Amino acid sequence: EMPTSIPEADRRHRASAAFSLSFLSLIFSITAFSSSYWCEGTRKVAKPFCKGDSKGDLCIRFNSPEGNNSQAVQYIWETGDDKFVEKKFHAGIWYSCEEMINEEGEKCRSFISLTPASDRGVLWLSIVAELLYVVLLLIGNILMSVEICYYSSVIDGLKINAFSAVVTVLAGLLGMVAHMMYTTVFQMTVNLGPEDWRPHTWDYGWSYGLAWTSFACCMAAAVTTINKYTKTILEFKHRRKKLERSFRIQYRFPEH
């Protein structure tokens, strides 16, 4: 009995590992998809004129009552970096937000509206691919949980295993394509986007890292599932050969 129970326990362990990786991938992908920290950076803008009695480092005050004339504006652009302020911003698939000068809070805009018209089609493809990625991951999770909880026979388990492996691999490919398309669109928006949005410095944020971590977990789940399927098939073949061998021995030396 022992030799047959060990592979069963091993199969259960592999199924649980694949489900855990796939579930992590699903949580990471939903978190990344709904957040706006795929890219973070700063925008360099000229400091505004101080209004009324307001003072501070984030606005420019002139002694002259005619502080708003063209000479004053020219003065801002000619005196160097101390007359500029850096505003932090962060952007995701859905919207881009930047901090406000002399006010608390952020001002957010739709990222789709900032994208150049020629690249909006690619962005929408990226969004559709991300949604399909999440849906396929969800289907893969359901199949893996069914395999763990409702395990009627090895053959049924193999069928579910094969289908969940295909779904998970397809999800991983879609996720990879979606992340790469968004990266391309963001870089094009940095170069060709509106002047009042273009960043001075930028880098990828935690959401971007989480999206790729989700992809890595998804592919690890797919590899574990395929490995489990292959191992079970090889096990079946080995048992079949042993059975055939025992039948041959019985045929040659029948018991009297």
Side-chain angles (χ1 to χ4, degrees):
E1 286 296 315
M2 278 300 287
T4 54
S5 65
I6 290 170
E8 178 67 28
D10 186 51
R11 275 199 295 273
R12 290 269 182 180
H13 179 70
R14 284 171 184 270
S16 300
F19 174 75
S20 301
L21 285 165
S22 184
F23 185 72
L24 269 178
S25 180
L26 179 65
I27 297 299
F28 289 166
S29 64
I30 291 170
T31 307
F33 187 58
S34 57
S35 70
S36 62
Y37 285 86
W38 285 62
C39 299
E40 297 176 80
T42 56
R43 284 191 60 239
K44 205 173 196 180
V45 293
K47 291 179 184 178
F49 295 112
C50 295
K51 293 179 181 178
D53 296 328
S54 60
K55 294 180 181 179
D57 296 332
L58 299 178
C59 64
I60 301 167
R61 187 156 190 81
F62 290 96
N63 294 327
S64 166
E66 297 178 355
N68 288 331
N69 62 24
S70 60
Q71 288 180 355
V73 175
Q74 190 67 23
Y75 172 75
I76 292 170
W77 293 96
E78 286 179 356
T79 51
D81 285 349
D82 58 330
K83 299 304 175 188
F84 290 88
V85 63
E86 288 192 340
K87 288 167 50 172
K88 290 180 182 177
F89 86 97
H90 54 90
I93 289 175
W94 297 107
Y95 51 92
S96 172
C97 298
E98 61 183 60
E99 63 181 349
M100 299 176 73
I101 303 173
N102 293 325
E103 289 181 45
E104 289 186 6
E106 293 180 324
K107 182 179 74 174
C108 294
R109 290 183 279 180
S110 165
F111 184 72
I112 297 162
S113 66
L114 298 169
T115 311
S118 58
D119 294 308
R120 273 178 202 163
V122 180
L123 181 60
W124 278 113
L125 277 174
S126 172
I127 291 168
V128 170
E130 285 284 355
L131 284 169
L132 284 172
Y133 173 53
V134 172
V135 169
L136 287 172
L137 278 175
L138 185 61
I139 293 168
N141 271 271
I142 292 166
L143 287 169
M144 287 175 192
S145 61
V146 165
E147 187 188 355
I148 293 167
C149 301
Y150 177 74
Y151 199 87
S152 57
S153 69
V154 179
I155 300 297
D156 288 343
L158 267 175
K159 287 176 184 175
I160 296 169
N161 197 231
F163 195 50
S164 61
V166 170
V167 167
T168 312
V169 168
L170 190 59
L173 291 173
L174 270 171
M176 180 182 69
V177 169
H179 303 342
M180 288 173 73
M181 281 197 292
Y182 177 78
T183 306
T184 305
V185 169
F186 186 83
Q187 287 173 352
M188 292 299 289
T189 308
V190 167
N191 295 325
L192 304 172
E195 288 285 348
D196 65 339
W197 178 83
R198 288 185 200 176
H200 176 62
T201 59
W202 67 276
D203 203 352
Y204 296 109
W206 63 265
S207 296
Y208 188 78
L210 202 63
W212 282 108
T213 306
S214 167
F215 166 74
C217 288
C218 175
M219 294 316 290
V223 168
T224 308
T225 310
I226 292 165
N227 184 270
K228 177 176 170 288
Y229 178 83
T230 309
K231 197 172 180 182
T232 310
I233 291 289
L234 290 171
E235 219 173 85
F236 263 119
K237 286 182 178 179
H238 179 66
R239 287 182 186 182
R240 188 180 170 185
K241 281 180 181 178
K242 278 179 73 176
L243 200 65
E244 284 175 355
R245 200 178 296 123
S246 66
F247 273 131
R248 279 201 212 100
I249 291 166
Q250 283 182 9
Y251 181 72
R252 284 178 185 175
F253 306 102
E255 291 181 2
H256 296 287

